[in-house]
Structure formats: structure tokens, C-alpha cells
Amino acid sequence: MKNSHEQDNTAFFGHPKPLKDLFFTEFWERFSYYGIRPLLILYMSALSINGGLGLDRPTAAAIVGLFAGSIYLITIFGGWIADNWLGQARSVWYGSILMALGHLSIALNAWFDQFFFYFGLVLIVLGSGLFKTCITVIVGTLYNAQDTRRDAGFSIFYMGINLGAFIAPLFTGLFIENNGWHIGFGIGGIGMLIALIFFRFTCTPQLVKFNENQATESAWNKPVTPKKSAPKIVFAFILFCTIIISLVTLNIITINPIILSKYLTASICIVLLIYFIYLIFLANSTPNEKKQIMMCFLLIIIAVFFWSSLEQQPTSFNLFAQDFTQRYVGGYEIPTVWFQSLNPIFMVLFAPVLAWLWTKLGKSNLNPSYITKFIISIALAGCSFIIMYFASQRIILNGGALVSPLWLVFSLLFLTLGELCLSPIGLSAMTKLAPTQLRGQIMGLWMTSIALGSLIAGLIGGHVSAESLQELPMLFIQCAIILFAGAIILFIFKKPILKFLTTSNN
């Protein structure tokens, strides 16, 4: 008969019991985020007469890219706060509060100034910086580095993300059709409130109980390397943000989203390189830890290729669905944002299959390496854009006639399969390879690859419009060529990379 510890360690489909509570916390947080994400570019680019902000598409797409990119970029600082001051659990809690306030602020935009819309986006960004990194790290603490269930556990956790992402656009799409934009935004706020309550009163007690039964102490609920200066640095950052927001609100400084996106993309690349150099040469890491950090850096750079394609869903793919896709079925017009549910529903359908496959192959020592899975993911993303290329060519050849929704369906299917081979595996790799004292920061750096992809996608997405129809095929084929080139280069250097990874693990 199993003892209490053994039962808790296999209570959720053969995985630790707290994984279930983390699953549902992430589900509701992602429901809130994906409830508003597909609305942003449609709302901002809609004319004021239709209740929108009346921005041009390149500007609206750049803001979406800045919003999504900043969410992932700020996770570096969020990871540092967790490692040096709050710990993982308190960071998730405070992040949840900030995001809930952000959704409330966006909802207030219906009755007050546009300031509340943009201020709400800022609060969601700041809250996500604490939440996203830390809840993933907590999942990693449920397994030791040699546990063959690890990749499967992250795949299950990732399925929770996509269940929330699938359901949210279905709700918001229905509500904005009959009740306006702000009801759709409000639905996302309800999801975040549920996530906040669930983590505090259900998830945290289960984590405490699980930790008490472990043979080794887990650091999910306390800082790994406490620093007395951390609170001062955080408050200084808050003061800086307050000053910038005040200057923009008073029109003392003006921000051009497109120019800011370009400069931020270049700056992130430079800072990312400098930061990894610091971690390798100046952070008092052991030789083995330096190799682990270098491996993380390589995987992060590879991931940028993929994220720059995946993060075009709320911009390029969203606008393609609105402008060029036949959305009438039996006299009913499918809401544009419903197409944003295709990616997560495919994730829900195929994530268990791949989770089972990785576990089965792992038991037989046949599980493909991280590098192999990354190559597959980038190649599949390339196939997705090949499909979009032919779809846009068909529109031009037919004189601008709308195309079947199946083009988007199959394109997003390939993109989703690629995501399954990269995202949960990347999360697992970061928590496994990262040195313990740097795990929050390394996870934040992994999120930086998504930030870069989001910024690039935002700069691309605004060019999808009826006025630039002739340019669409070239836009999509260029994305495909870059992705295939990345996959080929990675395949060529696969053997030396794997040799390096083997050495770093010994």
C-alpha cells in the first residue's frame, strides 16, 4: 500500500497532486489574457464610430507587439524579484493582484478617458512579470532533474494554458458582437479574479502539504538568494514607471509605438547578449553551470525564430481572418476572434498525445533531444507560412475574393504542432538546465525570446490589409524562408550541440 507521500506524488494522472491546482490557476489566468488579446488590434484599429480608438493598423499592431513583448520581457525582473526578495509563491500572488487591477482599469475605459485602457495594459504587464515566471518555476520544483515524468508534466501544465486560451475568445467573441468591446474586456477580468482566489485558497495549501512530505526542502515559497537591497530597487522601478506614465499622460513626452518597437527589439538583443556574458563570466558560476547557462542561451536564440511566427496570431492571422476569410456558415457569421481558439484547441487535443509519447520514449531511452524537437518545431512553423502564402496567392488570382477558412485552420494546425515540440519542452529545459540560484532569472530570459518574437510579429502584422494585398504572398514566403533556414542551420550543428549538452550534464 502506498504511503501518503507516494499518493501525493502520483495523485494527478501519475503526477504530483499540486500540479492539478497549478493547472487550474494557470487556466484562469490564461483565460483572462487570451480573453482580451485578440480584441486589442481589432478594437484599436476600429473607427471611433464603431467604438474603437481609430488607430492605423501598423500602430495598433505595434502596440499589441509592445504589450505582448513587454509581458515576457518584464519576467526577467519578475524572476529576479522572486529569487532575491519575495519567493515564487508571493510573487504569483502579488502578480495576480496587479493583473486583476489592470483588467479593472481597462473596463473603466468604457466610462472614462483612454488613459485607463493604456494604464490597464501597463498593470497587466507588471503583474505578468511576477506571475508567469514564478508559476512555471513552481511546477519545476515538483520533479527532480532525473524524473522521466518532467516533460509530460509540463505538457499537462501547458494544456491548462491552452484550455483557457481556447474558451476565452469564444466568450469574448459572442459578447462583443451584441454588447460592445468593453463587455469582452470585462470577461477577461473575471477570469483573472478567479485565478487570484484559486491560487490563494486552493493551490497554496496543497503546495505547503506537498512540500512537508518531501525529503529535500523546496524553495518555491522563499527567496533563493535574499538581498536586502531588493525592495529599494523594486520601489525605484515603480517610481520610474510612475514618472514615465505621468509624463506621457501630460503630453510632455510622446511615444511612437512603431519606432519604440524597433529600438526595443535592437536593445533587447544587445542586453540579452550582455546579460548572458555576465552570467557566464561574472556571476561566480562553476564550470559546469557556465556550460548549462550557455546551453540555455542557445535554446533561447533558437526559440526567437519560432515565436516570431507564433505571435503573429493576434495580428497577421487575426486581420487575415477579418479581411480575407469567408466567415459565413449557414447564414451565421463566425466572429473573427473565434479563429484565435484554433491554436489552443489543437493544443488541447494533441498535448496529451505528445505527453504520452515523450513519457513512453523516455522510458525506452528513445526520447528525442531538445535540439531535435526544436528543429521539428521550426520546420512545422515554416510549413504554416507556406500555406498562408498559397492562400494569399489564391485571393489575388480570384480578384480579391474571400478564401475558405480551411486555409487558416490548416496553417494554425502546423503552427500548433510546432509549438507542442518547442514550448513545453523549452520550459522543461530551462528549469532542468538552469543553476538553482539562477532559475528564476533563466526562466525570465526564456520569456525574453517570446518578447522578441512578439515585437517582431507586431511590426509585421500591421501590413496585413486590403490595401497591401499584393504584398501578402511575399510577406508570408519571407517568414517561411527564414524559418526553414533556421531549421537547416540547426540540423547541421546538431551533433556538436548534443555533444556539448552531454558534457554539461556530466
Side-chain angles (χ1 to χ4, degrees):
M1 181 178 293
K2 292 183 177 180
N3 59 37
S4 176
H5 166 58
E6 291 174 327
Q7 290 175 342
D8 285 344
N9 201 30
T10 57
F12 184 57
F13 296 105
H15 291 266
K17 190 174 182 179
L19 182 63
K20 177 187 69 174
D21 303 295
L22 292 167
F23 174 99
F24 284 109
T25 299
E26 184 70 3
F27 166 86
W28 284 111
E29 188 274 332
R30 290 291 85 185
F31 178 95
S32 72
Y33 175 69
Y34 287 100
I36 70 166
R37 190 182 78 153
L39 303 183
L40 294 178
I41 194 168
L42 303 179
Y43 169 67
M44 288 187 287
S45 61
L47 297 176
S48 346
I49 194 172
N50 296 323
L53 298 183
L55 301 179
D56 60 85
R57 285 191 172 185
T59 298
I63 292 174
V64 174
L66 284 168
F67 171 66
S70 298
I71 280 179
Y72 293 104
L73 181 62
I74 199 68
T75 55
I76 299 176
F77 190 42
W80 182 88
I81 292 173
D83 287 343
N84 296 282
W85 183 24
L86 295 178
Q88 311 299 332
R90 282 197 297 166
S91 294
V92 171
W93 170 243
Y94 291 131
S96 299
I97 294 174
L98 284 173
M99 285 189 284
L101 292 174
H103 284 281
L104 174 62
S105 181
I106 291 175
L108 291 175
N109 179 48
W111 298 278
F112 299 103
D113 190 78
Q114 291 181 12
F115 164 81
F116 287 94
F117 174 77
Y118 295 110
F119 183 60
L121 295 182
V122 171
L123 288 176
I124 292 173
V125 166
L126 296 176
S128 296
L130 291 170
F131 186 100
K132 289 186 68 64
T133 301
C134 300
I135 196 167
T136 306
V137 170
I138 292 174
V139 173
T141 64
L142 301 179
Y143 307 91
N144 60 51
Q146 290 74 37
D147 196 327
T148 58
R149 301 174 301 166
R150 191 182 186 87
D151 284 2
F154 273 97
S155 293
I156 293 172
F157 175 72
Y158 208 71
M159 189 168 65
I161 294 175
N162 287 282
L163 276 172
F166 162 65
I167 295 174
L170 300 181
F171 276 87
T172 55
L174 283 176
F175 278 98
I176 65 172
E177 184 176 1
N178 300 315
N179 303 286
W181 299 103
H182 301 291
I183 298 297
F185 288 127
I187 292 296
I190 294 174
M192 192 62 244
L193 183 62
I194 295 174
L196 183 153
I197 295 172
F198 193 88
F199 180 79
R200 179 64 181 85
F201 297 103
T202 302
C203 186
T204 302
Q206 284 294 337
L207 286 168
V208 171
K209 180 181 177 182
F210 181 80
N211 187 56
E212 289 174 347
N213 291 329
Q214 300 306 298
T216 57
E217 185 177 10
S218 175
W220 64 269
N221 59 345
K222 62 182 180 180
V224 178
T225 54
K227 284 186 172 60
K228 293 183 179 180
S229 61
K232 296 179 180 178
I233 294 174
V234 172
F235 291 132
F237 175 76
I238 294 174
L239 178 61
F240 172 77
C241 291
T242 303
I243 293 172
I244 295 298
I245 292 171
S246 300
L247 292 175
V248 173
T249 304
L250 296 172
N251 293 319
I252 297 176
I253 61 175
T254 303
I255 295 177
N256 183 313
I258 297 175
I259 294 176
L260 179 59
S261 291
K262 292 179 179 178
Y263 278 110
L264 187 57
T265 299
S267 300
I268 290 174
C269 292
I270 295 171
V271 171
L272 184 64
L273 179 61
I274 293 174
Y275 196 78
F276 264 104
I277 291 174
Y278 163 76
L279 290 179
I280 293 170
F281 297 106
L282 301 175
N284 297 321
S285 301
T286 66
N288 189 58
E289 288 175 342
K290 290 179 180 180
K291 291 180 180 180
Q292 291 175 309
I293 294 170
M294 291 175 67
M295 191 63 209
C296 289
F297 176 71
L298 175 62
L299 295 177
I300 285 171
I301 296 302
I302 296 169
V304 172
F305 284 90
F306 182 81
W307 298 125
S308 63
S309 59
L310 184 71
E311 290 302 316
Q312 288 188 48
Q313 288 182 88
T315 53
S316 302
F317 286 83
N318 208 9
L319 293 172
F320 191 92
Q322 177 179 261
D323 295 345
F324 304 119
T325 302
Q326 173 56 259
R327 293 185 285 114
Y328 280 93
V329 177
Y332 175 75
E333 185 179 18
I334 301 172
T336 299
V337 298
W338 278 17
F339 286 90
Q340 297 295 299
S341 290
L342 286 173
N343 169 256
I345 191 57
F346 287 146
M347 293 291 292
V348 170
L349 292 174
F350 290 104
V353 176
L354 286 186
W356 169 83
L357 179 62
W358 302 146
T359 302
K360 186 174 182 61
L361 291 176
K363 292 179 179 179
S364 304
N365 293 321
L366 296 174
N367 197 4
S369 67
Y370 295 136
I371 301 299
T372 300
K373 292 173 183 176
F374 274 42
I375 293 172
I376 294 172
S377 71
I378 297 174
L380 288 169
C383 293
S384 172
F385 280 89
I386 290 292
I387 293 173
M388 295 302 293
Y389 165 78
F390 283 112
S392 56
Q393 283 281 38
R394 187 178 182 87
I395 295 171
I396 295 173
L397 292 174
N398 292 334
L402 302 178
V403 296
S404 167
L406 291 178
W407 290 98
L408 270 177
V409 171
F410 281 104
S411 179
L412 289 170
L413 174 60
F414 276 89
L415 204 57
T416 301
L417 294 175
E419 185 180 2
L420 279 168
C421 292
L422 183 139
S423 189
I425 307 307
L427 292 175
S428 177
M430 293 303 108
T431 58
K432 182 177 180 180
L433 293 173
T436 302
Q437 72 275 15
L438 297 174
R439 62 185 179 184
Q441 295 170 65
I442 293 294
M443 185 57 67
L445 291 169
W446 167 259
M447 298 299 179
T448 303
S449 68
I450 310 179
L452 281 171
S454 299
L455 290 167
I456 295 169
L459 293 171
I460 295 172
H463 298 286
V464 176
S465 67
E467 292 76 19
S468 59
L469 176 58
Q470 297 296 326
E471 301 173 10
L472 277 185
M474 182 58 65
L475 180 71
F476 290 129
I477 199 65
Q478 286 176 342
C479 292
I481 290 172
I482 292 172
L483 289 164
F484 283 128
I488 292 171
I489 292 172
L490 189 57
F491 179 78
I492 292 172
F493 289 97
K494 175 184 172 182
K495 286 187 177 180
I497 292 172
L498 288 175
K499 183 178 179 181
F500 179 82
L501 178 60
T502 302
T503 303
S504 68
N505 286 334
N506 290 331

